[in-house]
Amino acid sequence: MTEPRHFDLHYGGRWQKPLSAERMDVRSPATGALLATVPVAGPADVEAAAQAAQDAFDGGWARMDALDRARPLRALADLLRARMGELAELESAVTGRPIREMRAQMGRIPEWIEYFAAIAIGLEAESNHVKGGFVTMTAYEPHGVCALLTPWNHPVLILVKKLAAALAAGNCVLVKPSELAPVSPLVLADWAIEAGLPPGTINVVTGAGATGALTCDAAPVRRIDLTGGTRTGRIVAARAGERLIPCTLELGGKTPVLVFADAALDEAVAGAAFAAFVAAGQTCVSASRFLVQRPIYDEFCDRLAAKADAIRLGDPADPATDMGPVISAGARARCLDFIEKAKAAGSRLIAGGTPPDLPAPFDAGHYLRPTIFADVAPDSHLFQEEAFGPVISITPFETEEEGLRLANDSAFALGAAVWTRDVARAHRLTRSIRAGVLWVNDHHKNDPRSIWGGFDASGWGKENGWDALRSYLRKRSIVIRTASQYDDWFAGKGRYG
Ligand code: NAD
């Protein structure tokens, strides 16, 4: 993006002039340059966009056969595949994530759409002949208009995970992307029309938390799906509770990684650097609490620190760049505060800790060197709170029981990983670590077929898989009498229940 672009809202199948006069800037986290401006949608904008979604739902999308819905969805997948390079550049410019990362991620986006379009065709309901002469049938139906509230760290991936399941199930969506990265969701809504999705199936309103709150409150909205921070999750869940509409909450994390003395150390160190510092540590499952068994503790710390020091920070558009900035000045200030608190708590800084020295214009970006603290106490701020940036902790443990206890010492329960060559231990631990997504000898790997979601302070509900498709459907029970005669209860016949 060379010249700043000034976007309108996108709903009802086209760009729409906002009714609210307020706008907000979208700036490059790498340089501070203005990339775009977007409207701050107010009540009338959100109402109009929600109505456009309701009209599309009533207008036929919900009643179409899954086979017919699959065609435009597959066309959208094809279009995204063809424009993968453009999409990756957009994502990289707005999020500051290196182009190499975004090319890899964008390359897989169409799979989510193809997957949900396909399994929706395969959705089968059940039917039973039951006692007393009845056939009972189950039937699925979409909820209606679904509000999708998304974060900035994977603007397209997280949106598409939700949107593909919602649309394949016959819902229409009202999207409120993050105020920090609203550009690609707007562009995607426009491309969806080009691909043949009916107007009003995807509607995007931009703005910050206040617009998100309006979205949750919009009368047509029948279901909410949020990926965001735990604080936002509590607010959105309360609102959904007030309205008695279902919601899914994909929230924060504090992912533990257990490294045992029997692990392949080269792989564990390489895996640790990837787990912690890809996306500059800004994913909900970024490895942030390393628990390392005592016999390899010192060597692991030394080797991971050297690996972190070798990570190249710089221009996100350069394919040689390993790590970009964090998303905002506020995000970097929060990370620096974690660093100060960790030092004050007596943890040992073994890598990073300061912003790098970069040439202009990147000296104005929100960069922070990959930062590692060793000897971190389990009751410390760094061990317990989500930094959402490249600041990680390492803590030693002696026995499997102690490692497990430390892994579970968290309010969050989203991701976890175990590095070991002992198959039995891997099985034991993946059954007893409190987390919704677990890896053995790897990290971050994700697939449309592999369910995704956490527990406790990390939220509830699942993305991916049949679970996600079914969560976008309501299931009903239909009971049909097959017995030839009705049993008149007040004439002394029949069964109750
Ligand atoms: P955030 O909670 O600040 O914002 C998420 C979305 O909610 C944004 O669109 C925001 O505008 C909106 N929002 C904020 N306040 C709202 C309100 N009161 N009502 C309705 N909507 C509101 O999160 P973020 O900073 O964009 O993303 C980072 C967080 O997301 C981290 O905590 C991270 O762990 C989490 N995350 C979780 C997952 C997962 O799969 N569990 C994936 C990615 C990110």
Side-chain angles (χ1 to χ4, degrees):
M1 293 170 84
T2 43
E3 287 299 310
R5 288 170 67 182
H6 304 286
F7 288 92
D8 286 336
L9 302 172
H10 202 292
Y11 60 84
R14 59 189 179 84
W15 295 107
Q16 305 268 3
K17 290 272 168 248
L19 302 165
S20 138
E22 204 185 332
R23 297 189 70 82
M24 63 200 309
D25 292 347
V26 181
R27 292 190 174 272
S28 159
T31 63
L34 182 69
L35 298 174
T37 68
V38 295
V40 176
D45 294 303
V46 174
E47 205 176 300
Q51 191 55 50
Q54 184 68 55
D55 291 346
F57 183 80
D58 296 338
W61 182 251
R63 289 191 303 278
M64 273 166 82
D65 192 273
L67 267 167
D68 297 324
R69 280 199 297 263
R71 268 182 222 108
L73 285 170
R74 281 198 300 267
L76 176 60
D78 290 343
L79 187 142
L80 292 179
R81 193 168 276 120
R83 296 190 188 161
M84 186 271 278
E86 194 182 332
L87 202 56
E89 279 172 25
L90 210 54
E91 287 287 82
S92 170
V94 173
T95 63
R97 293 185 51 188
I99 189 69
R100 191 170 149 237
E101 270 178 39
M102 296 328 284
R103 282 191 188 131
Q105 193 174 79
M106 292 310 106
R108 295 207 56 199
I109 296 296
E111 294 172 31
W112 265 265
I113 303 176
E114 288 163 338
Y115 170 77
F116 282 111
I119 68 167
I121 296 170
L123 182 73
E124 291 175 4
E126 303 99 35
S127 173
N128 292 295
H129 288 272
V130 300
K131 215 162 147 183
F134 296 95
V135 171
T136 65
M137 303 186 328
T138 53
Y140 289 99
E141 63 179 20
H143 292 271
V145 178
C146 300
L148 311 184
L149 304 165
T150 57
W152 50 266
N153 62 333
H154 309 285
V156 169
L157 174 68
I158 289 175
L159 173 58
V160 167
K161 277 164 113 182
K162 298 182 189 305
L163 168 155
L167 293 181
N171 303 279
C172 293
V173 300
L174 176 59
V175 181
K176 211 302 283 171
S178 166
E179 53 275 31
L180 296 170
V183 173
S184 44
L186 283 167
V187 169
L188 192 141
D190 200 43
W191 290 357
I193 296 299
E194 214 180 312
L197 268 111
T201 45
I202 303 177
N203 308 278
V204 183
V205 288
T206 49
T211 304
L214 289 171
T215 307
C216 296
D217 284 347
V221 166
R222 306 313 312 154
R223 187 197 184 300
I224 302 173
D225 193 340
L226 164 77
T227 295
T230 298
R231 209 179 130 262
T232 309
R234 292 186 207 282
I235 297 170
V236 168
R239 197 58 209 128
E242 186 69 30
R243 295 195 59 193
L244 288 179
I245 57 178
C247 70
T248 299
L249 304 170
E250 300 287 348
L251 309 178
K254 190 75 197 177
T255 296
V257 176
L258 279 156
V259 186
F260 283 87
D262 66 11
L265 197 55
D266 287 349
E267 289 188 359
V269 170
F274 174 70
F277 299 124
V278 75
Q282 304 169 107
T283 88
C284 50
V285 292
S286 287
S288 51
R289 289 187 294 141
F290 285 89
L291 306 167
V292 181
Q293 207 166 21
R294 189 59 89 176
I296 56 161
Y297 182 74
D298 290 336
E299 188 178 356
F300 181 89
C301 289
D302 292 348
R303 289 176 62 175
L304 185 58
K307 187 108 185 147
D309 284 341
I311 287 177
R312 287 160 302 192
L313 283 85
D315 180 0
D318 181 347
T321 294
D322 293 323
M323 198 173 111
V326 294
I327 190 71
S328 64
R332 184 168 68 174
R334 190 187 58 236
C335 290
L336 290 169
D337 183 54
F338 269 81
I339 291 169
E340 286 318 306
K341 287 195 168 100
K343 284 181 185 163
S347 301
R348 183 163 53 96
L349 181 67
I350 59 170
T354 54
D357 252 339
L358 291 175
F362 304 105
D363 54 346
H366 315 303
Y367 288 87
L368 181 64
R369 290 162 60 212
T371 298
I372 307 174
F373 282 94
D375 310 341
V376 174
D379 60 356
S380 67
H381 179 250
L382 178 58
F383 193 94
Q384 293 294 337
E385 301 295 328
E386 185 182 39
F388 216 63
V391 185
I392 63 162
S393 70
I394 314 183
T395 304
F397 70 90
E398 303 284 350
T399 63
E400 183 178 313
E401 291 67 32
E402 190 193 358
L404 175 62
R405 187 173 50 71
L406 289 170
N408 284 342
D409 183 6
S410 174
F412 298 104
L414 184 55
V418 179
W419 289 80
T420 179
R421 279 189 275 208
D422 180 335
V423 175
R425 168 179 280 154
H427 279 279
R428 275 196 304 278
L429 286 167
T430 50
R431 295 294 296 271
S432 38
I433 297 177
R434 232 178 70 255
V437 186
L438 297 112
W439 292 275
V440 175
N441 296 330
D442 216 314
H443 209 102
H444 284 303
K445 301 299 163 13
N446 185 12
D447 189 275
R449 284 162 288 202
S450 178
I451 56 164
W452 182 277
F455 313 122
D456 305 330
S458 297
W460 63 65
K462 297 285 178 258
E463 287 179 338
N464 298 348
W466 283 94
D467 287 39
L469 183 75
R470 290 204 175 94
S471 77
Y472 274 100
L473 291 159
R474 311 198 291 203
K475 200 170 182 183
R476 304 199 294 157
S477 178
I478 300 160
V479 182
I480 298 172
R481 173 163 59 88
T482 54
S484 58
Q485 290 208 320
Y486 177 70
D487 284 339
D488 185 346
W489 176 263
F490 289 108
K493 295 186 183 159
R495 291 186 314 120
Y496 183 68

